[in-house]
Amino acid sequence: MGYKVNWNPKSKVVVMTKGSETIEVYVGTTRYKINGIEKRSIVTNNIVNGTTYVGNEILDLLKK
């Protein structure tokens, strides 16, 4: 998908960047941001065994 991914364990935020686009996913919440604009997904963003799981709204953004 071409994104550079960074994980901040202290704030529990996954930051994905590609070109001028930035997507921030707040683990343990339904919050995410696209280029600084806060949104909410239907499901909670979670980490299970080191893998981050997000809702379809975020997956659809990543597929663009």
Side-chain angles (χ1 to χ4, degrees), residues 7-59:
W7 164 243
N8 183 326
K10 190 171 190 176
S11 61
K12 295 186 178 180
V13 177
V14 177
V15 179
M16 297 167 278
T17 55
K18 181 165 82 171
S20 63
E21 182 175 62
T22 300
I23 301 171
E24 300 172 49
V25 176
Y26 296 82
V27 174
T29 73
T30 58
R31 294 176 48 220
Y32 65 99
K33 288 184 182 179
I34 305 168
N35 297 325
I37 299 170
E38 187 163 322
K39 308 236 179 207
R40 299 271 176 178
S41 61
I42 295 171
V43 299
T44 301
N45 307 306
N46 284 309
I47 295 179
V48 178
N49 295 326
T51 301
T52 304
Y53 292 89
V54 297
N56 286 333
E57 302 94 339
I58 298 170
L59 288 177

